[in-house]
Structure formats: structure tokens, C-alpha cells
Amino acid sequence: MAILLSTKSATMAAWRDALLEVDPSLEVRLFPEAGDPAEIEAAVCWTAHDMAELRRYPNLRLIVSMGAGVDHLMRPPGPPPGIPVARLVDTRLTQGMTEWVLLNVLRFHRQDAEYRAQQAARIWHELPAPDTAARRIGILGLGELGGDAARRLLALGFPVMGWSRRPKDLPGVEGFHGAAGLEAMLARSDILVCLLPLTPDTRGLLDARRLGLLPRGAFLLNAARGGHVVQPDLLAALDAGHLAGAALDVFEPEPLPADHPFWAHPKVVLTPHAASITIPRSAAPQVVENIHRAREGRP
């Protein structure tokens, strides 16, 4: 039996080598060279793979997402019925996301754009010092990624709030949940960080009305999925001055079209879905563990 590997061509060999380093007995096939469809027992894939294509494999036991999210695997037609789907919970993936969040929270909090503008204009002027204890951070999503970011922000002295679908208790984090909790937290978030999974309930969550609930002069960070934000509504909020800035790592569509206004917007910091990139050697052990579990009929 064989493992089908489907990802960007630039990282295909690194993933194959990392899986074989953990278990040299694996037979790894690189898509589209799948060979006999009946021999494929697991598919390890990233966003571009067509889920309909996986129905060709009658003995498929497992689908593994190469990232923390699985929304790309759930797009119609979705995975073959009855096949378990696993995602990555990897310490280096989590750390990478937390680094991106801290980078951009501090970028906005410490007035980086203003000081860079002054540097360009050769202006020597000290701005009023920001008060960390007064800059309220709201985090949408308190899972593996959101929880770690919350702990690190607390350690820096920021007051941190978090919203989740169901109540969660994280030490030091003021928790909110449900529709009423969402609106209450937005109204108090000077910097809002979106780390939610993309589901039918969270798609378009940050629209004109909810962005309007943020305090005037607030900032938005989105490293979850582009579908969480209604892009024209965000642009309108930035242009009207209601939001002071946005750091965006995810978009719809991706790659972001070259003529999109985000590219040149003076209030937008943009990265190309690179906030946290899966490192094959770090993630391979849990992928292989899940392959063994699928073979043995374990969860």
C-alpha cells in the first residue's frame, strides 16, 4: 500500500524525504503519479488538490491536511464519505503563527508606520508613548493557535480577550462566546486578531456592521482565511478612517490579483499566506503516526 503526496512542487521532495525519515518502509507516490488507485491508503495533501479525484482510490483510509486548517478539504464535493480527515497540530506551526501575530500587534502598537513615515521625511519627532496596559487585544478563535497567541500577548502586558463558539477558560483571558459575546468583545477590541477556522458560520463574519463595532482607530489582523473578511467592507472602513490599519495574510482569491487595492493601500500590511508555513521535518512524525493509526483502525 502507498501514500499519495500532493502539494506544491517546490516542497514535494522535502515532504517525501521527511516522511521516509520517520518510516523508511513507507511507499510515497508524488501526485499525479499515483500508480494503481487500489494501492493508495492515505492522501497527504494541501489546498490545490481536487477532492473529487480522491474518489478514485477504493482503499483510501485517511486524508491528512498539511496545515492547521481543513476548510480546503471540505469544499464541494468534500472528502470521500466515511474517510477520516486529520489536520496538523505542530509546535513549530503554532510558534510561527504566534510570531506573526506578535510582529503585527507590536507594529501597530509601537506606531511603526508613523515612525517609518517620519524617517522617510527626515523628521525627528517623538510620538506619545503607547500604553500597553490600555491596548485591548481581542482574539477570534481560542484553539491551538489563538490560545498560544493569547498567552504570549498576556506575557507582554496586553489585556487580552478571546471569543469562541463555546465557552473556554484560559487563565488571564477574558472570555466571550456566542453572538452577543462577539459583539461585546468587538466593541472593546483596539486590535482584533482573527484566527478562526473557516466554516459556513464564520464566512463573512467581519462585514461592515461588525467592523463598525470596533472602536474608531482600531486595527485588524487576519491570518485565518480570506473568507472571514468581506474585503470591500474592510477597504471602506480603512478609507473612512474608522480602522487605522490592517495586517492581512489571507485573501479570497489567492494569489491576490495584481490589481487588487490591498497591494498599494497605505494602511495595509500584506503577506502572501506566509504567516506560518508548515515545516515538513517537524510535522512528519504526526502524519506518520496517523497513517499507522488508520492502518490499525485506531482514532
Side-chain angles (χ1 to χ4, degrees):
M1 301 300 286
I3 312 304
L4 181 66
L5 186 60
S6 176
T7 186
K8 295 178 287 188
S9 57
T11 60
M12 198 89 84
W15 270 99
R16 177 198 60 206
D17 295 347
L19 294 172
L20 291 175
E21 186 175 317
V22 178
D23 184 352
S25 72
L26 293 176
E27 181 180 347
V28 181
R29 298 177 185 174
L30 309 185
F31 185 81
E33 304 299 327
D36 183 354
E39 294 175 353
I40 301 298
E41 63 174 334
V44 182
C45 47
W46 192 223
T47 56
H49 198 89
D50 178 10
M51 289 297 100
E53 193 271 339
L54 293 184
R55 285 163 170 73
R56 295 179 51 232
Y57 310 118
N59 295 311
L60 190 67
R61 299 174 177 174
L62 173 68
I63 301 170
V64 180
S65 169
M66 290 173 163
V70 297
D71 54 283
H72 55 284
L73 303 181
M74 300 304 173
R75 290 194 294 258
I83 305 301
V85 174
R87 67 187 184 96
L88 297 183
V89 180
D90 179 62
T91 54
R92 291 183 69 172
L93 193 64
T94 300
Q95 173 156 339
M97 184 61 77
T98 295
E99 289 171 354
W100 186 91
V101 170
L102 294 179
L103 168 70
N104 287 291
V105 164
L106 293 173
R107 183 197 307 276
F108 292 137
H109 175 62
R110 293 303 304 261
Q111 305 152 304
D112 182 67
E114 292 85 348
Y115 277 121
R116 297 290 69 76
Q118 289 188 183
Q119 179 182 350
R122 304 189 181 210
I123 296 172
W124 184 275
H125 174 66
E126 181 183 287
L127 298 172
D131 183 358
T132 305
R135 182 84 73 178
R136 302 163 297 181
I137 313 293
I139 300 178
L140 296 173
L142 289 176
E144 196 73 24
L145 302 179
D148 189 70
R151 288 186 286 271
R152 305 290 188 94
L153 289 163
L154 282 170
L156 290 175
F158 290 101
V160 179
M161 304 170 286
W163 181 84
S164 52
R165 186 174 56 173
R166 292 182 291 272
K168 285 194 175 182
D169 184 17
L170 272 67
V173 177
E174 185 178 358
F176 296 82
H177 67 279
L182 173 62
E183 298 198 355
M185 191 186 82
L186 291 178
R188 294 170 53 195
S189 297
D190 300 310
I191 300 179
L192 181 68
V193 182
C194 182
L195 294 173
L196 288 167
L198 184 62
T199 69
D201 290 334
T202 63
R203 176 171 289 281
L205 185 76
L206 296 176
D207 58 9
R209 188 181 71 80
R210 293 194 181 95
L211 292 172
L213 294 173
L214 293 167
R216 186 170 183 83
F219 300 90
L220 172 67
L221 277 60
N222 186 22
R225 289 291 184 266
H228 290 116
V229 177
V230 180
Q231 293 180 165
D233 292 354
L234 173 57
L235 283 165
L238 291 167
D239 292 340
H242 184 74
L243 295 187
L248 307 174
D249 184 61
V250 288
F251 309 90
E252 279 194 346
E254 292 182 359
L256 190 66
D259 61 351
H260 197 286
F262 281 153
W263 283 108
H265 200 289
K267 294 183 180 179
V268 172
V269 177
L270 185 156
T271 47
H273 204 144
S276 188
I277 299 171
T278 304
I279 299 170
R281 283 181 179 270
S282 177
Q286 69 173 278
V287 174
V288 173
E289 167 72 10
N290 273 325
I291 291 169
H292 291 167
R293 285 175 170 272
R295 285 176 175 173
E296 298 160 10
R298 293 187 289 146

